């Protein structure tokens, strides 16, 4: 039996894009997808960054037939309804078509696709993995689990938000997106490219358990309470699925990575599940490429694991702050379970000119330490700046390598002296822009009070 370089289980956005990147990097990749495509899937509203991300991969055609955003009727903080203008970059897609286009692009990039082909639980064998199929077996050196929420490789997870269920149904309809709230739920609804309108109510599982005898009635009640979903038919079929945010405890090892929803799931409030799945697929491709080509797994695994941690923590903080902005039902258990104030306000901007004579130092909470980061298609270790307010360690700001600049901070120079020293490394305008960014983030501190 031939041993492939990589076996990817799952042909959703994460699996297809990870497989495509690895094939373009010259690896021999096989992808297993259990269902024939196109197949229906929830997660149709793509965040505004997705089109640009697809452009960088030459995959913009996956958005053919998408529906541009229609604006949003938003009733979140209180009972006032506001109409937000559409973001021209945001779209809804038919996930059947979108996922099919990405899988087709992976095939065109050289990925060998087996579909429909359900992978059994993979087994570690000498030199890699064996993946049982209904008819035969696939062998590969490296495994990518892109099996979605249910993870083909198993393993434990940690919740990063309260347990949540989604109740959803679709009916013929058009018009702006709607986002509303009730004491026991928040509800999202949007028009889809196929002329349907889908609405989802997000609730505590306990509520569904108590209404298990009549879930459609509960669904309609939750939509009615928001006051935003008039003129809809009595929908016969309401689906229920898990929408809890969690992360896998073992997202990467020296011979496997989990990508997309197999690695982590986000609270649907962020509407960025597909975007995050694509980003994780690209990070996983760099991780796998590093391990397969250099054999050095330490930095690669740390890079992938740290990225997963940072993404889930950042989203959990953001969603809690967003739930916190809701006022009307803030004392209800559904809301108290989810809301938390934002951890800190950003410091006020610091102008350079009036402060040039003041001594400057690195914030005592900041540190420059060796950190694994992607350089081209490989993970390498670089000196990067860390600080509690940074969502990720920073090695470069707009192509400027930070560590050599920060080395000039020994002896507490004045801001003017620091900028002079930096001008040996980069043009004056960029030195000033870098100093402004560091001061505004609270990474550089002025140590004496300003003169009157
Ligand atoms: C209720 C809800 C609403 C959401 N709304 C949004 C939204 O509006 N916007 C957004 O961006 N995201 C949204 N998401 C998240 C979004 O759906 C996911 O982030 C995205 O689908 C993840 O892609 P993936 O490739 O990781 O997994 P999936 O798209 O789930 O793909 C996994 C694939 O693996 C295949 N597979 C699984 N097991 C096997 C096996 N053993 N063998 C072979 N194949 C297998 C499956 O058939 C499937 O095709 C939502 C999620 C939920 C639950």
């Amino acid at each position: 039996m031939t041993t492939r370089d990589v076996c990817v289980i799952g042909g959703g956005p994460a699996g297809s894009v990870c497989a495509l990147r690895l094939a373009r990097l010259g690896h021999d990749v096989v992808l297993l997808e259990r269902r024939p495509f196109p197949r229906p899937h929830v997660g149709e509203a793509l965040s505004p960054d997705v089109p640009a991300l697809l452009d960088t991969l030459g995959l913009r055609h996956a958005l053919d037939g998408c529906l541009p955003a229609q604006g949003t009727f938003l009733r979140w903080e209180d009972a006032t309804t506001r109409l937000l203008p559409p973001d021209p970059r945001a779209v809804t897609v038919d996930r059947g078509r979108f996922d099919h286009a990405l899988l087709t692009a992976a095939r065109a990039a050289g990925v060998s696709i087996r579909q429909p082909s359900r992978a059994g639980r993979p087994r570690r064998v000498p030199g890699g993995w064996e993946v049982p199929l209904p008819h035969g077996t696939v062998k590969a050196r490296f495994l990518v689990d892109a099996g979605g929420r249910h993870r083909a490789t198993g393993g434990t997870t940690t919740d990063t938000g309260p347990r949540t269920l989604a109740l959803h149904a679709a009916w013929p309809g058009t018009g702006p997106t709607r986002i509303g709230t009730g004491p026991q739920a928040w509800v999202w609804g949007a028009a889809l490219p196929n002329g349907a309108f889908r609405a989802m109510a997000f609730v505590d599982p306990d509520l569904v358990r108590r209404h298990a005898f009549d879930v459609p009635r509960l669904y309609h009640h939750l939509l009615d309470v928001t006051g935003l979903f008039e003129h809809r038919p009595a929908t016969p079929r309401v689906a229920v699925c898990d929408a809890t945010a969690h992360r896998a405890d073992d997202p990467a090892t020296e011979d496997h990575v989990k990508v997309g929803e197999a690695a982590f799931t986000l609270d649907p409030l962020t509407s960025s599940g597909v975007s995050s799945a694509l980003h994780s697929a690209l990070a996983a491709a760099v991780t796998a490429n590093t391990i397969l080509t250099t054999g050095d797994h330490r930095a690669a695994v740390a890079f992938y694991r740290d990225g997963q941690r940072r993404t889930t923590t950042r989203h959990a903080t953001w969603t809690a702050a967003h739930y916190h902005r809701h006022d009307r039902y803030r004392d209800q258990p559904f809301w108290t379970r989810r809301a938390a104030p934002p951890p800190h306000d950003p410091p006020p901007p610091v102008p350079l000119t009036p402060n040039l004579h003041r001594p400057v130092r690195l914030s005592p909470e900041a540190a420059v330490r060796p950190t694994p980061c992607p350089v081209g298609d490989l993970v390498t270790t670089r000196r990067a700046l860390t600080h509690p307010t940074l969502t990720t360690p920073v090695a470069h700001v707009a192509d400027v390598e930070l560590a050599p600049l920060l080395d000039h901070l020994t002896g507490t120079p004045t801001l003017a002296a620091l900028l002079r020293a930096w001008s040996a490394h980069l043009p004056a305008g960029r030195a000033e822009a870098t100093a402004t960014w560091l001061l505004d983030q609270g990474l550089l501190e002025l140590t004496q009070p300003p003169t009157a």
Side-chain angles (χ1 to χ4, degrees):
M1 189 195 320
T2 332
T3 301
R4 307 281 193 155
D5 291 335
V6 185
C7 173
V8 178
I9 302 178
S16 291
V17 166
C18 186
L20 173 140
R21 278 291 290 136
L22 285 166
R24 284 183 182 169
L25 287 167
H27 299 289
D28 175 19
V29 185
V30 60
L31 183 150
L32 315 170
E33 167 55 51
R34 67 180 173 189
R35 298 182 65 184
F37 276 14
R39 51 98 177 88
H41 202 296
V42 291
E44 294 113 332
L46 304 189
S47 50
D49 61 315
V50 172
L53 182 58
L54 293 172
D55 275 343
T56 63
L57 295 163
L59 298 174
R60 171 63 79 117
H61 63 274
L63 296 178
D64 287 352
C66 70
L67 184 70
Q70 313 276 295
T72 304
F73 281 123
L74 179 69
R75 196 178 281 182
W76 188 266
E77 283 88 348
D78 49 34
T80 321
T81 306
R82 291 182 292 144
L83 177 59
L84 307 183
D87 183 326
R89 300 162 305 163
V91 295
T92 53
V93 292
D94 173 339
R95 281 290 301 275
R97 267 180 85 156
F98 178 75
D99 291 14
H100 195 192
L102 295 180
L103 188 64
T104 305
R107 180 181 283 117
V111 176
S112 156
I113 311 242
R114 302 227 190 143
Q115 182 187 31
S117 193
R118 175 189 283 270
R121 183 56 63 89
R123 290 186 292 267
R124 274 201 173 86
V125 293
W129 293 84
E130 223 170 59
V131 183
L133 301 177
H135 306 288
T137 309
V138 164
K139 219 173 153 198
R141 291 167 60 200
F142 197 90
L143 187 72
V144 176
D145 181 354
R149 241 161 220 272
H150 301 293
R151 299 181 310 284
T153 48
T156 57
T157 59
T158 301
D159 287 351
T160 53
R163 297 208 69 78
T164 302
L165 291 180
L167 276 52
H168 60 95
W171 55 86
T174 55
T177 295
R178 282 134 215 271
I179 298 176
T181 62
Q184 299 162 306
W186 73 274
V187 183
W188 166 95
L192 305 178
N194 64 357
F197 192 93
R198 187 192 298 287
M200 294 190 169
F202 299 97
V203 296
D204 287 329
D206 199 38
L207 184 69
V208 180
R209 232 169 278 133
R210 279 187 274 125
H211 292 79
F213 55 92
D214 200 350
V215 171
R217 194 187 161 117
L218 170 66
Y219 174 78
H220 284 290
H221 168 72
L222 296 169
L223 265 59
D224 285 341
V225 169
T226 68
L228 290 175
F229 297 88
E230 308 95 355
H231 314 304
R232 62 178 194 276
T235 318
R237 203 175 152 268
V238 176
V240 180
C241 67
D242 181 44
T244 307
H246 66 235
R247 64 177 164 229
D249 295 328
D250 63 337
T253 63
E254 73 280 7
D255 58 2
H256 107 284
V257 285
K258 294 180 166 69
V259 293
E261 288 214 320
F264 60 88
T265 61
L266 301 174
D267 187 312
L269 192 56
T270 67
S271 209
S272 58
V274 170
S275 162
S276 300
L278 296 176
H279 281 287
S280 82
L282 298 178
V286 173
T287 303
N289 183 48
T290 305
I291 295 172
L292 288 165
T293 55
T294 70
D296 178 8
H297 66 266
R298 229 174 267 261
V301 168
F303 157 73
Y304 193 74
R305 205 186 38 225
D306 295 351
Q308 181 235 31
R309 285 280 157 126
R310 279 195 299 273
T311 303
T312 49
T313 305
R314 189 174 71 241
H315 278 275
T317 309
W318 182 89
T319 40
H322 202 74
Y323 283 114
H324 184 72
R325 286 170 56 194
H326 171 79
D327 201 41
R328 202 165 171 206
Y329 305 111
R330 70 162 54 247
D331 296 331
Q332 296 290 327
F334 175 84
W335 293 94
T336 53
R337 258 195 279 280
R338 289 167 174 77
H344 41 67
D345 292 328
V350 182
L352 291 190
T353 313
N355 293 304
L356 285 170
H357 64 285
R358 294 172 68 189
V360 68
R361 67 170 185 194
L362 195 60
S363 157
E365 291 177 285
V368 178
R369 42 173 81 101
T371 307
C373 39
V375 178
D377 299 318
L378 292 174
V379 178
T380 7
T381 301
R382 287 273 195 277
R383 288 165 70 214
L385 180 63
T386 61
H387 188 271
T389 60
L390 289 174
T391 51
T392 173
V394 179
H396 297 87
V397 176
D399 283 347
V400 177
E401 196 178 349
L402 273 184
L405 302 183
L406 299 176
D407 289 343
H408 288 284
L409 280 164
T410 45
T412 327
T414 62
L415 184 53
L418 184 69
L419 289 172
R420 260 196 314 277
W422 285 5
S423 63
H425 299 265
L426 65 166
R430 292 185 69 188
E432 285 169 17
T434 306
T436 302
W437 183 81
L438 289 166
L439 285 163
D440 288 351
Q441 301 294 314
L443 304 168
L444 280 186
E445 291 180 354
L446 297 159
T447 58
Q448 283 172 8
T451 42

